[in-house]
Amino acid sequence: SQQGEEDPQALSIQEGENATMNCSYKTSINNLQWYRQNSGRGLVHLILIRSNEREKHSGRLRVTLDTSKKSSSLLITASRAADTASYFCATDGGANSKLTFGKGITLSVRP
Amino acid sequence: DGGITQSPKYLFRKEGQNVTLSCEQNLNHDAMYWYRQDPGQGLRLIYYSQIVNDFQKGDIAEGYSVSREKKESFPLTVTSAQKNPTAFYLCASRNIGQGRGSSTDTQYFGPGTRLTVL
């Protein structure tokens, strides 16, 4: 079963704008991770936030986690055409080291 | 794509045939995973293994089989019992961390194999 649900399903923005993607989940987690996938390629890990953290930064990425609302958001600032990809959130419940992925968000950044 | 390789990149299968997808990692990771990706459905877990000679079913194991005879290898066989095998298959590995939320909780993915049934 898929726990993470991303929102929106697709997002199209102009280069230079910020992109905000949301993820909701259903059960308790140890951490939440965001991955990126370019078309036809494998996933690449972007950032991990632990259940006791509220915000984390990595370069142009900012991720927040609200465990009371069971939701997370990923913000990409000053987007570039190269940011065009699919983005997935994945939750780690700590059991058997499995990740549960959402269906993904397709981000298109127009030059 | 890190130190994980998958082969072949494209695979075509006739109905009724078994095919084996290769996954090798040189990261010395303990755990390995197989996912299936269909358009609009994200990644679904087929099988995973946390240690050599042991593996567990994921959410959609029916019609698939795996083996884990070596730490670095985790081949997936798509059997003729899998009714709709056309999909993109992704292998991943992970070092099982000692503490919760450690950096080793991340998974490293291979480039994928696209399987098409003719």
Side-chain angles (χ1 to χ4, degrees), chain B residues 11-26:
Chain B
L11 186 57
F12 298 90
R13 190 195 92 172
K14 294 181 180 179
E15 286 192 22
Q17 282 184 335
N18 291 356
V19 289
T20 297
L21 282 60
S22 170
C23 178
E24 304 277 333
Q25 54 99 359
N26 61 2

Side-chain angles (χ1 to χ4, degrees), chain A residues 47-75:
Chain A
I47 194 165
L48 177 153
I49 187 165
R50 306 172 187 179
S51 59
N52 61 353
E53 297 176 316
R54 292 297 168 258
E55 187 171 314
K56 205 165 182 179
H57 296 254
S58 176
R60 292 185 296 115
L61 305 179
R62 180 174 79 101
V63 64
T64 62
L65 179 65
D66 186 335
T67 53
S68 66
K69 296 181 179 178
K70 291 186 169 57
S71 68
S72 172
S73 67
L74 173 67
L75 169 68

Side-chain angles (χ1 to χ4, degrees), chain A residues 2-32:
Chain A
Q2 292 179 306
Q3 167 157 244
E5 292 288 339
E6 294 97 341
D7 168 63
Q9 291 186 330
L11 181 62
S12 181
I13 60 173
Q14 197 73 33
E15 199 166 30
E17 294 179 337
N18 295 343
T20 300
M21 291 168 271
N22 303 300
C23 171
S24 60
Y25 57 92
K26 298 176 182 177
T27 62
S28 62
I29 61 171
N30 283 345
N31 65 71
L32 185 143

Side-chain angles (χ1 to χ4, degrees), chain B residues 11-118:
Chain B
L11 186 57
F12 298 90
R13 190 195 92 172
K14 294 181 180 179
E15 286 192 22
Q17 282 184 335
N18 291 356
V19 289
T20 297
L21 282 60
S22 170
C23 178
E24 304 277 333
Q25 54 99 359
N26 61 2
L27 301 169
N28 199 34
H29 284 173
D30 304 297
M32 297 186 75
Y33 308 81
W34 272 106
Y35 296 91
R36 170 182 172 137
Q37 185 176 30
D38 295 278
Q41 294 198 45
L43 277 68
R44 292 183 289 170
L45 182 63
I46 305 172
Y47 267 99
Y48 65 104
S49 168
Q50 298 183 77
I51 194 170
V52 175
N53 292 323
D54 188 41
F55 48 83
Q56 289 78 40
K57 293 182 179 180
D59 300 317
I60 54 165
E62 185 175 352
Y64 300 98
S65 66
V66 293
S67 63
R68 186 87 187 275
E69 297 177 1
K70 299 185 294 183
K71 188 176 184 179
E72 58 270 22
S73 180
F74 191 41
L76 173 74
T77 297
V78 184
T79 75
S80 56
Q82 170 51 235
K83 299 305 179 187
N84 185 22
T86 294
F88 189 50
Y89 290 87
L90 288 160
C91 179
S93 71
R94 162 177 165 171
N95 197 23
I96 298 176
Q98 295 180 353
R100 290 183 175 179
S102 70
S103 62
T104 55
D105 287 344
T106 63
Q107 292 190 9
Y108 295 81
F109 283 80
T113 292
R114 188 166 298 278
L115 173 64
T116 302
V117 174
L118 302 173

